[in-house]
Every structure is written in structure tokens, then in C-alpha cells.
Amino acid sequence: MIYVNAGKGHYVPAKALADSMNGEGHVATVEDLFVICEAPFWEWYCKYEWRFMLHHPRLERINHSIDDTKVSAALIRYFSVHTQVRKHFLAWYEKTKPDFIVCTNFLGGNIITPIVQSLKLDIPVFSYAADAFNNPTAGYNKAIDLLYIPTFIGKELVIAKGQPADKVKVCPFPLQSGIQKLKPLTKQEAREKLGLQDTFTVLLNFGGEGIGNTDFLEEVAKRGLNWQVVVVGKLSMTTAFKFSLFLEKHPLFNLKTPGFVDNIGEYIYACDIQAGKAGANSLMESLALKRPFLVSNLLYAARDTGSFLNKHKVGWVEDNVKKQVDIVEHYFGDRQEQIAMSERFSQLPLQFDSEAFIHMIFEDVKAFKAGK
């Protein structure tokens, strides 16, 4: 399982799939693309460019939209086979001898596929669209053996970009084992277990990088809304400073900040609404546990999330803070909408199952070998 260290969005599905495979007695490893290819500059660049963009989401939407082209995809393929990356990948391959490779970042499939073909290695290279509702154009590659994507709307969009239809496959979403094996809890049970009050609860998810602000909290406090707000994620230094200032200003605000948690599923069960940036893992885990998601900052890679949420009515996309609180306030006061929301979750065209996904991969590996 090969990922790129640009946030947790690509690592988490790689880890989820590897855990499922190892749990069934296979040997699966999780590798950083630019570590195995010995490209330290790109390892550094992907890591810190992404973190910088999370601090500046408007700039991210502009910058990544400019970079995300088929020209970029072609350049990536060219340099992958005309630089030392090719040699270093071969050295790793000879040492590891994998039966197949799954790339959970668009760069992986577009870099490794041409290398494997140029070296005439008898190994399938599969790519997984970690953004769930689309795949970056910069990852466009007709030659990749299979592109997995967990939504039908995503399949339609990547085929429209030119990806061969017979090489695009809808797959289950690879849930982390902590979510997949979690015993269902009622809101009351989850709140009691976590020591939370049994009242209307908003879960603010700042993701693996813990980057966010207190704008939403300020608006809730301004309106005097008696909600419980739980913020998860290890807060970055600047974010933690903003929160300390907020609590000095609003010492009675019902705010819980448990930090980074390894039982996120229990916190999702405890909430009425989850909100945050549109990271595919946070969003899909929320949908798997039947909690609506309010996307508060729509990053470029997640731009098609809105189409899915608008179609299936299990969440919202809104950048404006006042309108965000309007949405939550309306949902809080509309019992009929809360009931309707629960019913819509049962109709989602999604499957959440890491084990089903790995068995799909095994069958596709067999088909690849048989075709050879």
C-alpha cells in the first residue's frame, strides 16, 4: 500500500486496507512513495505544501486548480522514467517483491505505472481515489491497471475525464478497523461513555493536522445557542492559541477539546452533526455511522463533495460562518428534518467495508494474472 505524506487522507485508507489484509494472514506493508523512490525533496514538499494550504484554503483552491491538468499528468509520467526515481523504485521492488501495488494517492499510480511498464515488471498497479468523489486530473493515466473509487458519481466524473470505463471500478469505502468493528451506540450511550452532556452536540473535526479557527464558536456564542461543541484533532500551535483566547472570552461556553482521539467513532455516535473541512475520511466515516456532515471549507480536491451531498441530502457545503450556524440552528429546531435525515441514510448508494474491498482486490489480481 503506497501513500504520499500530504495529510492523513491518503495514509488512512492505505493503513485500513493493510490492516484488513494482515488480519486475514497476508503480509501487507504501508510505504511512503517518496521514501521508497528516495526523493527527499518531494517528500518534504508534499508534506509542508499541504499543511500550508490547509492554513490558506482559498489559495489552495486557486493553486491546485492551476496545477491539476493533463499536462501535469504527462510531465509526472515523463520524469518518473527519466530520473533516478526509476532506479530507486526498482531497488525497492527487487528487495520487497510485492504481488501487487495499491496507490492511495493519485501521484502513486501515475508515477509507478510507467516505471513498471518501462521495466516490464509482471505486477498489477492499482490506484484508489482517496478523494472519493473524483480523482485529480494530474493523476490521469489510461495505462493504470485499475482505478478504484467508492462512489458512482466519482466513477462518472473520472470516465468523463477520459479514464477508460473498463479500468474504473466502484469499490467499498475502506473504513478504519476502529470504525468498522465499532459496536453501534445510541447518542445517549456514547455521550455517557465519553463523559459528555446529553444535549444537542456539534462535533468539529479539525483533522489530522489540527488546523482550524474559532469563527464557528464565536457565532454560536453570539447567538446564545446552548449547544455542546466537541473539537477533535491535535490542535496546531496557532489553533490552540485561538482556542485559549476564546475560552477566556467565553468561560461558560460548553466546549470540549479532547485533542487527537483514537475512538473517533464514539464521538461521531455522540454528535448530532459533524462539521469540518471536507476530508474524505472524516466525511465518509460520518456517513457510515449515519451522522450528517457540514463541510465548512471546501478544498479543491473535494469540490465534487457538494454534488453528492446536494443529491442525497445527508449534509451541507457552506463556507460562510453565519450561514453555517443558520444551517445547524435550523436542523436543531426541526424534528421532522432530523427524522427524514435518518431515513435518507438507509438509501445511500455506498458500501463501507475494508474486508470486502480487499477481497475485490484479490479477485482483480487473479484476473490480471490470468490475463497475462
Side-chain angles (χ1 to χ4, degrees):
M1 305 298 159
I2 293 179
Y3 73 103
V4 171
N5 187 14
K8 297 294 185 183
H10 311 114
Y11 173 77
V12 170
K15 181 71 162 53
L17 291 172
D19 285 348
S20 292
M21 289 186 182
N22 288 325
E24 294 197 5
H26 305 284
V27 178
T29 61
V30 180
E31 308 277 3
D32 184 323
L33 172 66
F34 294 117
V35 171
I36 67 173
C37 292
E38 297 187 30
F41 170 79
W42 291 109
E43 179 191 357
W44 171 86
Y45 178 82
C46 288
K47 179 179 180 179
Y48 290 102
E49 187 265 357
W50 178 246
R51 284 154 180 77
F52 175 80
M53 291 300 175
L54 287 178
H55 281 286
H56 307 281
R58 292 182 181 178
L59 179 61
E60 184 274 341
R61 289 194 288 269
I62 296 170
N63 184 62
H64 286 170
S65 65
I66 294 171
D67 291 343
D68 190 31
T69 66
K70 288 186 179 180
V71 172
S72 295
L75 289 172
I76 289 168
R77 292 194 295 273
Y78 178 83
F79 284 109
S80 68
V81 295
H82 291 88
T83 63
Q84 293 297 307
V85 166
R86 181 175 182 267
K87 181 185 78 172
H88 294 313
F89 173 82
L90 179 60
W92 171 83
Y93 174 82
E94 293 291 350
K95 180 181 178 181
T96 309
K97 292 289 184 174
D99 293 291
F100 61 91
I101 291 172
V102 178
C103 305
T104 59
N105 178 282
F106 69 95
L107 288 172
N110 206 23
I111 289 173
I112 293 175
T113 298
I115 294 176
V116 165
Q117 290 181 333
S118 70
L119 295 170
K120 295 182 170 53
L121 302 178
D122 184 24
I123 178 175
V125 179
F126 304 138
S127 191
Y128 167 71
D131 294 313
F133 305 101
N134 206 331
N135 199 47
T137 304
Y140 173 79
N141 189 341
K142 284 186 176 182
I144 198 163
D145 292 301
L146 266 179
L147 172 62
Y148 294 110
I149 194 162
T151 63
F152 287 97
I153 189 172
K155 179 180 179 179
E156 293 171 1
L157 289 169
V158 296
I159 291 174
K161 287 181 177 179
Q163 200 70 34
D166 62 340
K167 292 189 175 184
V168 182
K169 195 167 187 178
V170 175
C171 65
F173 183 83
L175 287 173
Q176 299 180 73
S177 59
I179 299 289
Q180 182 153 337
K181 297 178 181 179
L182 181 62
K183 176 186 174 182
L185 297 169
T186 65
K187 291 176 187 175
Q188 290 70 30
E189 289 171 338
R191 290 167 184 171
E192 182 177 358
K193 186 173 183 179
L194 296 170
L196 302 175
Q197 295 181 21
D198 187 16
T199 187
F200 186 82
T201 301
V202 178
L203 179 66
L204 287 185
N205 194 327
F206 285 176
E209 307 306 324
I211 297 172
N213 56 56
T214 60
D215 294 352
F216 182 88
L217 302 179
E218 292 284 0
E219 185 64 23
V220 172
K222 179 181 177 181
R223 300 189 190 190
L225 297 167
N226 190 27
W227 299 341
Q228 179 171 236
V229 180
V230 181
V231 179
V232 291
K234 184 179 178 180
L235 303 184
S236 67
M237 187 178 299
T238 55
T239 304
F241 179 68
K242 292 174 186 176
F243 270 76
S244 65
L245 293 179
F246 173 82
L247 287 173
E248 286 181 14
K249 185 178 177 182
H250 305 282
L252 299 180
F253 192 94
N254 190 356
L255 176 66
K256 305 292 190 300
T257 54
F260 177 82
V261 298
D262 56 10
N263 58 337
I264 185 63
E266 293 176 352
Y267 281 93
I268 295 174
Y269 273 134
C271 78
D272 292 275
I273 287 179
Q274 186 174 188
K277 294 183 175 70
N281 291 304
S282 298
L283 171 61
M284 296 294 268
E285 288 171 358
S286 196
L287 300 185
L289 301 185
K290 299 179 171 55
R291 294 295 185 271
F293 199 104
L294 170 61
V295 179
S296 58
N297 267 310
L298 191 64
L299 301 176
Y300 172 77
R303 62 199 180 281
D304 297 298
T305 304
S307 299
F308 180 87
L309 293 179
N310 289 335
K311 180 177 181 180
H312 297 287
K313 308 297 182 185
V314 288
W316 311 265
V317 176
E318 180 55 64
D319 284 349
N320 183 276
V321 174
K322 290 184 177 180
K323 291 181 180 179
Q324 290 170 9
V325 179
D326 287 343
I327 288 170
V328 180
E329 190 172 10
H330 179 267
Y331 184 76
F332 165 67
D334 191 339
R335 179 59 183 162
Q336 292 303 313
E337 172 58 16
Q338 294 174 26
I339 294 172
M341 180 71 74
S342 297
E343 294 173 350
R344 289 195 287 270
F345 275 109
S346 64
Q347 301 168 13
L348 284 179
L350 298 171
Q351 183 183 2
F352 304 94
D353 194 330
S354 294
E355 293 176 1
F357 192 176
I358 65 168
H359 288 292
M360 177 183 287
I361 293 172
F362 292 154
E363 291 301 314
D364 291 330
V365 172
K366 288 180 183 178
F368 174 88
K369 297 293 186 182
K372 293 291 184 180

